[in-house]
Amino acid sequence: MSNLGGFTPEEPVTEALITCTTAATSGTGGWTTEAPVTDHMKKICLEMKPDIEKAVGTNFPVNIPISFRLQVEKGTNYVVKVYVGKDMYIHAMIFQDIQSKLTVLEARYPKALSDPLVPF
């Protein structure tokens, strides 16, 4: 079992396409409501873990995405809540361009499970 609750990078990511097209938004370019992570989001968080850790200046023993929001506008913006151990969480902003290149824009730590997931 991986550190992402059984996720393996080989799993298909078509679930994300369904989520992206059915999630409620606040209008064109708006953010979706917070939703449980998809396999696609788990894959992104696994790939971006070193960059997220670099953004907050520390390494974490676990990396379990909990929930996320997204905005489609010249690529896809994600804000994701990630459990990093000891009742601590990170909120990370990640951008995926139209060529699928991922970039961590910013990460905020420490956060609590109860903290709302708000784009920043």
Side-chain angles (χ1 to χ4, degrees):
M1 180 180 268
S2 73
N3 63 353
L4 290 177
F7 166 76
T8 58
E10 294 78 29
E11 291 176 326
V13 294
T14 55
E15 175 186 3
L17 297 176
I18 294 167
T19 301
C20 291
T21 58
T22 60
T25 65
S26 60
T28 303
W31 287 88
T32 62
T33 57
E34 188 172 351
V37 293
T38 61
D39 287 343
H40 178 69
M41 196 71 242
K42 289 176 186 177
K43 181 180 177 191
I44 288 172
C45 287
L46 179 63
E47 183 177 337
M48 300 310 294
K49 182 180 187 273
D51 294 337
I52 293 169
E53 290 174 336
K54 184 177 179 182
V56 297
T58 190
N59 295 332
F60 300 101
V62 297
N63 181 47
I64 303 171
I66 303 298
S67 59
F68 77 107
R69 297 177 66 185
L70 65 84
Q71 174 194 45
V72 178
E73 189 172 282
K74 298 181 183 176
T76 305
N77 289 301
Y78 299 97
V79 60
V80 60
K81 182 180 292 189
V82 181
Y83 175 71
V84 293
K86 298 183 181 178
D87 294 325
M88 301 303 294
Y89 296 79
I90 288 176
H91 291 183
M93 290 283 297
I94 301 170
F95 177 69
Q96 185 173 28
D97 69 19
I98 57 175
Q99 286 83 30
S100 296
K101 180 182 180 220
L102 294 164
T103 306
V104 172
L105 302 176
E106 189 177 344
R108 296 192 177 169
Y109 170 81
K111 291 291 189 175
L113 178 61
S114 61
D115 288 336
L117 191 56
V118 178
F120 47 93

